[in-house]
Amino acid sequence: MSYQLDYLDQLEAESIHIFREVAGQFERPALLFSGGKDSIVLVHLALKAFRPGKFPFPLVHIDTGHNFPEALEFRDKLAKKLGEKLIVRNVGDTIKEKGLTEPKGKFASRNALQTYTLLDTIQEFEFDACIGGARRDEEKARAKERIFSVRDDFGQWDPKMQRPELWNIYNGKIHKGENVRVFPISNWTELDIWNYIKRENIELPSIYFSHEREVLEYQEQLIAVSSFIQLEPQDRIVTKSVRYRTVGDMTCTAAVASEAHTLDDIIHEIIATNTSERGQTRIDDRVSEAAMEDRKKNGYF
Amino acid sequence: MDILRFITAGSVDDGKSTLIGRLLYDSKNILVDQLDALERSSRNRGDGSVDLALLTDGLRAEREQGITIDVAYKYFSTDKRKFIIADAPGHIQYTRNMITGASNSELIIILVDARNGVVEQTRRHSIIASLLHLPNVVVAINKMDLVDYSQERYTEIIQDYEEVAAALELQNVTYIPISALDGDNIVDASTHMDWYKGKTLLNLLETVEVNRHTDLEHARFPVQLVIRPQTPEFPDYRGYAGKVTSGVFRKGDNIIVYPSGIEGTVKAVEINNKEAEAIFAPQSAVIHLNEDIDISRGDTIAKKDDTLRLGQDIDALVCWMDEKPLTIGKRYLLQHNSKTVPAIVKEIKYRLDVNTLDQQENPGKAGLNEIVAVYIKTASPLAYDAYNDLRSNGGAILIDDTSYVTVGAVLFQ
């Protein structure tokens, strides 16, 4: 018998170990679930970590109200199939309750407002750990974040005060009011995620595959036409074969032109592409070079 | 395809970030938009050419000051291997960051400036490689363009370094003459150094053996949690979930549970909710035992061998990572795999000079970035190995009992 592990098996083993550390170290953890591919992979890994037992945490979705209907439908179906608890909290409610100002503009995104709802939800359920699907290859600030990332009462990330993280020992000790963001797939890349989805035959929302959609062509990006964006007479609206490479809000996630109907097609496309995931599809990261770093410092994921 | 985790040691002046940028760039792992961003920030800084070093500097303060503060992780792959780079700063005030990056690495690239040769910093990085028992060392002699690609200079540096390597008993040392700035011998063979017949850096990284360093002999399984669904479907299921940190377990094996010392036999081993023929390092798995033994998180299931130690009076090397000094008699928490116990440092025997390896007896305390030999007393027994016998069961961290910050890296002796 061979005692060698393929790279996907190595990544999987590391992620399962992290999940079980969360279960062992925290009293009230939660898994932040968006309906996107990375959080779907998290759920798949959690099954491997805890079945035949139940998940030691609920799935929590911070719903901006601007999500793709396909992703929401998938979310509900998956939670039901697994028999796991799903908690949904709406950014729209927070805006009303707290009198927050709705962002304005053509692609008014509630992305930054998510942080308010997230912090309220953490407080409401007294979550001490929130598991998320962020990966270090996504963005420069994320490349420096720990797998167990301690946040203060305001959810803030202080990059200069991070705890050293050695071997595979994760220090999850915190004071009351603090919480830890845990990133079990930190060491996976976009391509690793797709290869794993294919190998494990993991089901995804349909919008990840090529489909016909009405889109607005805007500064070389393709934005889905929806009631959440403001259209103007001069806008160029076309119907195209597109798919989504990432799934965020309809207001700030761009589609890519694609004829990829299968996982193999998608993997080929990703290998051939010359643009990064966030660069191609996230409007919110283009604002400044340190956009993500700033949002994280303010309590974002 | 497998994974190689490596660390690059060196300072900005040695061209470390440039080297990483070059590896990513020449192996076509940098995408157009990232390159655009790079060109934009290079322009903003007014340097004229594209500065590959900017690729690895993630935080605003780092970009502004042109330094690396923290460990950044970078990923790239070729059709042979997936690589995870721990990019750590090299100056002495960042020793703790380097140790953090090295703790998970199987290989270290030590950068030497061809003009300066083996200097104090080279020795320090080599000492850290030796302390953390990294199985592979690559000495990349950089800036060969600035010494006219001289083979003589290259050979001279090798001779100097061989003395360091011998004194530290470093294993598998390889030398490569490079120019990170121009890309010589990084991905493509240099056209300036026909006299060098060895591999390029990427080629070496793709082919260096890593799996043989996985210890399959000493079986250790720290238990992270007990899975007990107690559902109608699984009324009697009781599985010990954890990670095989070394060795192999299979059905029928005789095991010992530590620290209790109770013996048992393996009823079944599981991977991914299915029974498996064997489980081995570094798999996450579930073990079932035939006997009804009281086992919980923090216990270790192991097979009997001579290297495992059980005790609460422990000799160790500690790298101190906190601004507040290590204090004798103060209560800390020691976390070793899935077990956390109160611990007191009873004695600091000597401080190790990381530049010379000299030992200074009875230093009284240890400050940030210092490495000291200590005697630790833990509140309950630990099942551990000496770090040099078994890396995966020989390391631990010290946590401040009140701030909960990770303050020390512990290597059991």
Side-chain angles (χ1 to χ4, degrees), chain B residues 112-156:
Chain B
V112 174
D113 186 323
R115 295 169 302 176
N116 307 331
V118 175
V119 294
E120 190 177 270
Q121 177 165 274
T122 319
R123 285 201 185 83
R124 176 158 40 83
H125 294 163
S126 306
I127 286 169
I128 290 170
S130 149
L131 284 175
L132 286 166
H133 223 61
L134 297 185
N136 297 284
V137 177
V138 176
V139 180
I141 299 165
N142 192 22
K143 306 195 185 180
M144 287 300 291
D145 50 317
L146 299 181
V147 295
D148 293 325
Y149 306 103
S150 158
Q151 181 176 14
E152 205 185 329
R153 181 67 187 135
Y154 173 71
T155 317
E156 219 171 74

Coordinates of all heavy atoms in Angstrom, one line a residue, chain B residues 112-156:
Chain B
V112 N 22.1 34.4 -0.2 CA 23.4 34.9 0.1 C 23.7 35.9 -1.0 O 23.6 35.6 -2.2 CB 24.5 33.8 0.1 CG1 25.9 34.4 0.3 CG2 24.2 32.8 1.2
D113 N 24.1 37.1 -0.6 CA 24.5 38.1 -1.6 C 26.0 37.8 -2.0 O 26.9 37.7 -1.2 CB 24.5 39.5 -0.9 CG 24.8 40.7 -1.9 OD1 25.6 40.5 -2.8 OD2 24.2 41.7 -1.8
A114 N 26.2 37.5 -3.3 CA 27.4 37.1 -3.8 C 28.6 38.0 -3.5 O 29.7 37.6 -3.3 CB 27.4 36.8 -5.3
R115 N 28.3 39.3 -3.4 CA 29.3 40.3 -3.1 C 29.8 40.1 -1.6 O 30.9 40.3 -1.3 CB 28.8 41.7 -3.3 CG 28.5 42.0 -4.7 CD 27.8 43.3 -4.9 NE 26.5 43.3 -4.1 CZ 25.7 44.3 -3.9 NH1 26.0 45.5 -4.5 NH2 24.6 44.2 -3.3
N116 N 28.8 39.9 -0.7 CA 29.1 39.8 0.7 C 29.5 38.4 1.2 O 30.1 38.3 2.3 CB 27.9 40.4 1.5 CG 27.5 41.7 1.0 OD1 28.3 42.5 0.5 ND2 26.2 42.0 1.2
G117 N 29.0 37.4 0.5 CA 29.3 36.0 1.0 C 28.6 35.7 2.2 O 27.5 36.2 2.6
V118 N 29.1 34.7 3.0 CA 28.5 34.2 4.2 C 28.6 35.3 5.3 O 29.8 35.6 5.7 CB 29.1 32.9 4.7 CG1 28.5 32.4 6.0 CG2 28.8 31.8 3.6
V119 N 27.5 35.9 5.8 CA 27.6 36.9 6.8 C 26.8 36.4 8.0 O 26.2 35.3 8.0 CB 27.0 38.2 6.3 CG1 27.9 38.8 5.2 CG2 25.6 38.0 5.8
E120 N 26.8 37.3 9.0 CA 26.1 37.0 10.3 C 24.7 36.5 10.0 O 24.2 35.5 10.6 CB 26.1 38.2 11.1 CG 25.7 38.0 12.5 CD 25.8 39.2 13.4 OE1 26.8 39.4 14.0 OE2 24.8 40.0 13.5
Q121 N 23.9 37.2 9.1 CA 22.6 36.9 8.9 C 22.4 35.5 8.3 O 21.5 34.7 8.6 CB 21.9 37.9 8.0 CG 20.5 37.6 7.6 CD 19.8 38.7 7.0 OE1 19.2 39.6 7.7 NE2 19.8 38.8 5.7
T122 N 23.4 35.1 7.4 CA 23.4 33.8 6.8 C 23.5 32.7 7.9 O 22.8 31.7 7.9 CB 24.6 33.6 5.8 OG1 24.7 34.8 5.1 CG2 24.3 32.4 4.9
R123 N 24.4 33.0 8.8 CA 24.6 32.0 10.0 C 23.3 31.9 10.8 O 22.9 30.8 11.2 CB 25.7 32.5 10.9 CG 27.0 32.3 10.2 CD 28.2 32.2 11.3 NE 29.4 32.1 10.5 CZ 30.1 33.1 10.0 NH1 29.6 34.3 10.2 NH2 31.1 32.9 9.2
R124 N 22.7 33.1 11.0 CA 21.5 33.1 11.9 C 20.3 32.3 11.2 O 19.7 31.4 11.8 CB 21.0 34.5 12.2 CG 19.7 34.6 12.9 CD 19.6 35.9 13.6 NE 20.0 37.0 12.8 CZ 19.3 37.6 11.9 NH1 18.0 37.2 11.7 NH2 19.8 38.6 11.2
H125 N 20.2 32.5 9.9 CA 19.1 31.7 9.2 C 19.4 30.3 9.2 O 18.5 29.4 9.3 CB 19.0 32.3 7.8 CG 18.5 33.7 7.7 ND1 18.6 34.5 6.6 CD2 17.9 34.4 8.7 CE1 18.1 35.7 6.9 NE2 17.6 35.7 8.1
S126 N 20.7 29.9 9.1 CA 21.1 28.5 9.1 C 20.9 27.9 10.4 O 20.5 26.7 10.5 CB 22.5 28.4 8.6 OG 22.7 29.1 7.4
I127 N 21.1 28.6 11.5 CA 20.9 28.1 12.8 C 19.4 27.9 13.0 O 19.0 26.8 13.6 CB 21.4 29.1 13.9 CG1 23.0 29.1 13.9 CG2 20.9 28.8 15.3 CD1 23.6 30.2 14.7
I128 N 18.6 28.8 12.5 CA 17.1 28.5 12.7 C 16.7 27.3 11.9 O 15.9 26.5 12.3 CB 16.3 29.8 12.2 CG1 16.6 30.9 13.3 CG2 14.9 29.5 12.1 CD1 16.1 32.3 12.9
A129 N 17.3 27.1 10.7 CA 17.0 26.0 9.9 C 17.3 24.7 10.6 O 16.6 23.7 10.6 CB 17.7 26.0 8.5
S130 N 18.5 24.8 11.3 CA 18.9 23.6 12.0 C 18.1 23.4 13.3 O 17.7 22.2 13.6 CB 20.4 23.9 12.4 OG 20.7 23.2 13.6
L131 N 17.7 24.4 14.0 CA 16.9 24.3 15.2 C 15.5 23.7 14.9 O 15.0 22.8 15.5 CB 16.6 25.6 15.9 CG 17.8 26.2 16.7 CD1 17.3 27.6 17.1 CD2 18.1 25.4 17.9
L132 N 15.0 24.1 13.8 CA 13.6 23.7 13.4 C 13.7 22.4 12.5 O 12.7 21.9 12.0 CB 12.9 24.8 12.7 CG 12.4 25.9 13.6 CD1 11.9 27.1 12.9 CD2 11.3 25.3 14.5
H133 N 14.9 21.9 12.3 CA 15.1 20.6 11.7 C 14.5 20.6 10.3 O 13.8 19.6 9.9 CB 14.5 19.6 12.6 CG 15.3 18.4 12.7 ND1 16.6 18.4 13.3 CD2 15.1 17.1 12.3 CE1 17.1 17.2 13.3 NE2 16.3 16.4 12.7
L134 N 14.8 21.6 9.5 CA 14.3 21.6 8.1 C 15.1 20.6 7.3 O 16.3 20.6 7.3 CB 14.4 23.0 7.5 CG 13.5 24.1 8.2 CD1 13.6 25.4 7.4 CD2 12.1 23.6 8.3
P135 N 14.3 19.6 6.6 CA 15.0 18.5 6.0 C 15.8 18.9 4.7 O 16.7 18.2 4.3 CB 13.9 17.6 5.6 CG 12.6 18.2 5.9 CD 12.9 19.5 6.6
N136 N 15.6 20.1 4.1 CA 16.3 20.5 2.9 C 16.7 22.0 3.0 O 15.9 22.8 3.4 CB 15.4 20.3 1.7 CG 15.0 18.9 1.4 OD1 15.8 18.1 0.9 ND2 13.8 18.6 1.8
V137 N 17.9 22.2 2.6 CA 18.5 23.6 2.6 C 19.0 23.9 1.2 O 19.8 23.2 0.6 CB 19.6 23.8 3.6 CG1 20.2 25.2 3.6 CG2 19.1 23.4 5.0
V138 N 18.5 25.0 0.6 CA 19.0 25.5 -0.6 C 19.7 26.8 -0.4 O 19.1 27.8 0.1 CB 17.9 25.7 -1.7 CG1 18.4 26.3 -3.0 CG2 17.2 24.4 -1.9
V139 N 21.0 26.9 -0.7 CA 21.7 28.1 -0.6 C 21.7 28.8 -2.0 O 22.4 28.3 -2.9 CB 23.1 27.9 -0.1 CG1 23.9 29.2 0.1 CG2 23.1 27.2 1.3
A140 N 21.0 29.9 -2.1 CA 20.9 30.6 -3.4 C 21.8 31.7 -3.4 O 21.6 32.7 -2.6 CB 19.5 31.0 -3.7
I141 N 22.9 31.6 -4.1 CA 23.9 32.7 -4.1 C 23.5 33.7 -5.2 O 23.6 33.5 -6.4 CB 25.3 32.1 -4.4 CG1 25.6 31.1 -3.2 CG2 26.3 33.2 -4.5 CD1 26.7 30.2 -3.4
N142 N 22.9 34.8 -4.7 CA 22.2 35.8 -5.6 C 23.2 37.0 -6.0 O 24.2 37.2 -5.4 CB 21.0 36.4 -4.8 CG 20.1 37.1 -5.7 OD1 20.1 36.9 -6.9 ND2 19.3 38.0 -5.1
K143 N 22.7 37.7 -6.9 CA 23.4 38.9 -7.5 C 24.7 38.5 -8.1 O 25.7 39.2 -8.0 CB 23.6 39.9 -6.4 CG 22.3 40.3 -5.7 CD 22.4 41.6 -4.9 CE 21.1 41.8 -4.1 NZ 21.1 43.0 -3.3
M144 N 24.7 37.3 -8.8 CA 25.9 36.8 -9.5 C 26.3 37.8 -10.6 O 27.4 37.9 -11.0 CB 25.6 35.4 -10.1 CG 25.6 34.3 -9.1 SD 27.1 34.1 -8.2 CE 28.3 33.5 -9.4
D145 N 25.3 38.6 -11.1 CA 25.6 39.6 -12.1 C 26.5 40.7 -11.6 O 27.3 41.3 -12.4 CB 24.3 40.2 -12.7 CG 23.4 40.7 -11.5 OD1 23.2 40.0 -10.5 OD2 22.8 41.8 -11.6
L146 N 26.5 40.9 -10.3 CA 27.3 41.9 -9.7 C 28.7 41.5 -9.4 O 29.6 42.2 -9.0 CB 26.7 42.5 -8.5 CG 25.3 43.2 -8.7 CD1 24.7 43.7 -7.4 CD2 25.4 44.3 -9.8
V147 N 29.0 40.2 -9.6 CA 30.4 39.7 -9.4 C 30.9 39.0 -10.7 O 31.6 38.1 -10.7 CB 30.5 38.7 -8.2 CG1 30.2 39.3 -6.9 CG2 29.6 37.5 -8.4
D148 N 30.4 39.6 -11.8 CA 30.7 39.1 -13.2 C 30.5 37.6 -13.4 O 31.3 37.0 -14.1 CB 32.2 39.5 -13.5 CG 32.4 41.0 -13.6 OD1 31.4 41.6 -14.1 OD2 33.4 41.5 -13.1
Y149 N 29.5 37.1 -12.7 CA 29.2 35.6 -12.9 C 30.4 34.7 -12.6 O 30.6 33.7 -13.2 CB 28.6 35.3 -14.3 CG 27.5 36.2 -14.6 CD1 27.6 37.3 -15.5 CD2 26.2 36.0 -14.1 CE1 26.6 38.2 -15.8 CE2 25.1 36.8 -14.4 CZ 25.3 37.9 -15.3 OH 24.3 38.7 -15.6
S150 N 31.2 35.2 -11.6 CA 32.4 34.5 -11.3 C 32.3 33.1 -10.6 O 31.7 33.0 -9.5 CB 33.3 35.4 -10.5 OG 34.3 34.7 -9.8
Q151 N 32.8 32.1 -11.3 CA 32.7 30.8 -10.7 C 33.6 30.7 -9.5 O 33.3 30.0 -8.5 CB 33.2 29.7 -11.8 CG 33.1 28.3 -11.2 CD 33.5 27.3 -12.3 OE1 34.0 27.6 -13.3 NE2 33.2 26.0 -12.0
E152 N 34.7 31.4 -9.5 CA 35.6 31.4 -8.4 C 35.0 31.9 -7.2 O 35.1 31.3 -6.1 CB 36.8 32.3 -8.8 CG 38.1 32.0 -8.1 CD 39.1 33.0 -8.4 OE1 39.1 33.6 -9.6 OE2 40.0 33.3 -7.6
R153 N 34.2 33.0 -7.3 CA 33.5 33.6 -6.2 C 32.5 32.6 -5.6 O 32.3 32.5 -4.4 CB 32.8 34.9 -6.6 CG 32.1 35.7 -5.5 CD 33.0 36.2 -4.4 NE 32.3 36.8 -3.3 CZ 32.6 36.6 -2.0 NH1 33.7 35.8 -1.7 NH2 31.9 37.1 -1.1
Y154 N 31.8 32.0 -6.5 CA 30.8 31.0 -6.2 C 31.4 29.9 -5.4 O 30.9 29.5 -4.3 CB 30.1 30.5 -7.5 CG 29.2 29.3 -7.3 CD1 27.9 29.5 -6.7 CD2 29.5 28.1 -7.8 CE1 27.0 28.4 -6.6 CE2 28.6 27.0 -7.7 CZ 27.4 27.2 -7.1 OH 26.5 26.1 -7.0
T155 N 32.5 29.4 -5.8 CA 33.1 28.3 -5.1 C 33.6 28.7 -3.8 O 33.5 27.9 -2.8 CB 34.3 27.8 -6.0 OG1 33.9 27.7 -7.3 CG2 34.8 26.4 -5.5
E156 N 34.1 29.9 -3.7 CA 34.6 30.4 -2.4 C 33.5 30.5 -1.4 O 33.7 30.0 -0.2 CB 35.0 31.9 -2.7 CG 36.3 32.4 -2.0 CD 36.6 33.8 -2.6 OE1 35.9 34.7 -2.3 OE2 37.5 33.8 -3.4

